[in-house]
Amino acid sequence: MTDSIAHRIHQLRATLPETVRLIAVSKTFPAEAIRQAYGAGIRDFGESKVQEAIDKQTQLSDLPDITWHLIGHLQSNKALKALQHFQWIHSVDSLKLAQRLDRLAQESNCTPNACLQVKLLPDPNKFGWSISQLQTDLFDLNQCQSLKIKGLMTILPQGLTASESLEVFHQTKKLATDINQQSWQNLAIQELSMGMSEDFSLAISAGATMIRLGRTIFGARVTQLR
Ligand SMILES: *Cc1c(COP(=O)(O)O)cnc(C)c1O
C-alpha cells in the first residue's frame, strides 16, 4: 500500500511524453502523500488553497526543491501569501487579480509565473476569462512586468463527451496561438495548463504542456473538493 503512489507515478510516467510537466495535485491529501510522490521523483505539486499548502510546506521543509503551483481560485486578500508560497499561479482569473499580483510582486521583488485561467464554455461553477473579455484585457495584462504571464489554464465543465473536451482543448491552444501572433511584449504564452485525471490524454494530444493530476496519482479523494 505505501508504495502504491510510487507505483502509479512510475506507470503514468511511462505513458507521458517527456516534454509534458506533470503536476501532482495534492489538495486534501496529507503531507505524507506528497513525501511519497517526491520519493518517486515528483517535484511539482498543485494545491487549491493557500493555507492548506502552507501547512504542508511547513511539514515538508526538509524537501527544498519542490515547485508549488496554486491551481484554485485566489481571493485578493490572500494574494501576498500566495506569492510568498507558490512559484506558479495557474488561477489568475481577472484583470484586477493580475494587477494586484503584479504590484505586490514588484514590491516584494519577486517574479512569479502565471497562467491566465480561461473559460471557453459558460460554466457557473468556474472562474476565468471568456475569449472576448480576455481580448479586451490583453492590453492591460501586457503592462504587468513582475508577474510573468506565461500560459493559459483551463478547466473543463463536467459532463462533456470526449470529442467536446478535445474541441475545448484545441480552442485553448488556438487562443494561445492568436495571442502570441499579436506580439505583446510581456505576454508569451508558451504553457498550456490543461488536463486532469479524466481527460489528460486528450489534453496532451491538443498540446498541453502541464497536466494537473490528483486522483491518478494519489487515489480517490475522500472529500470532494475542487
Ligand atoms: C482538483 C483539481 C485537479 C486535479 O483533479 P483530479 O481529478 O484529481 O486529477 C486539477 N486541476 C484543478 C484546478 C483542480 O482543482
Side-chain angles (χ1 to χ4, degrees), residues 116-176:
L116 305 174
Q117 183 174 344
V118 295
K119 192 167 69 169
L120 300 191
L121 294 176
D123 184 346
N125 301 315
K126 297 290 182 307
F127 293 90
W129 270 278
S130 65
I131 294 184
S132 61
Q133 188 59 54
L134 183 60
Q135 292 292 357
T136 308
D137 288 341
L138 285 176
F139 179 85
D140 291 315
L141 288 166
N142 184 53
Q143 310 298 313
C144 293
Q145 301 218 354
S146 298
L147 186 71
K148 300 298 176 194
I149 298 174
K150 294 185 175 171
L152 299 182
M153 188 271 247
T154 195
I155 309 173
L156 297 187
Q158 302 209 310
L160 298 188
T161 65
S163 65
E164 287 165 343
S165 301
L166 191 58
E167 174 66 21
V168 177
F169 291 141
H170 279 305
Q171 282 175 11
T172 308
K173 165 89 184 176
K174 181 174 179 302
L175 178 59

Side-chain angles (χ1 to χ4, degrees), residues 76 79-80 83 95-110 112 143-148:
S76 60
L80 181 58
L83 290 183
L95 178 59
K96 221 174 138 211
L97 178 62
Q99 289 174 329
R100 182 175 172 87
L101 287 166
D102 185 55
R103 183 169 50 76
L104 292 169
Q106 192 183 0
E107 287 166 9
S108 17
N109 244 317
C110 65
Q143 310 298 313
C144 293
Q145 301 218 354
S146 298
L147 186 71
K148 300 298 176 194

Side-chain angles (χ1 to χ4, degrees), residues 25 27 48 71 155 196-197 212-215 221 226:
V25 175
K27 65 182 181 195
S48 290
I71 60 170
I155 309 173
M196 303 174 31
S197 289
R212 310 178 308 266
L213 303 190
R215 289 167 297 151
R221 233 174 263 118
R226 294 185 60 136

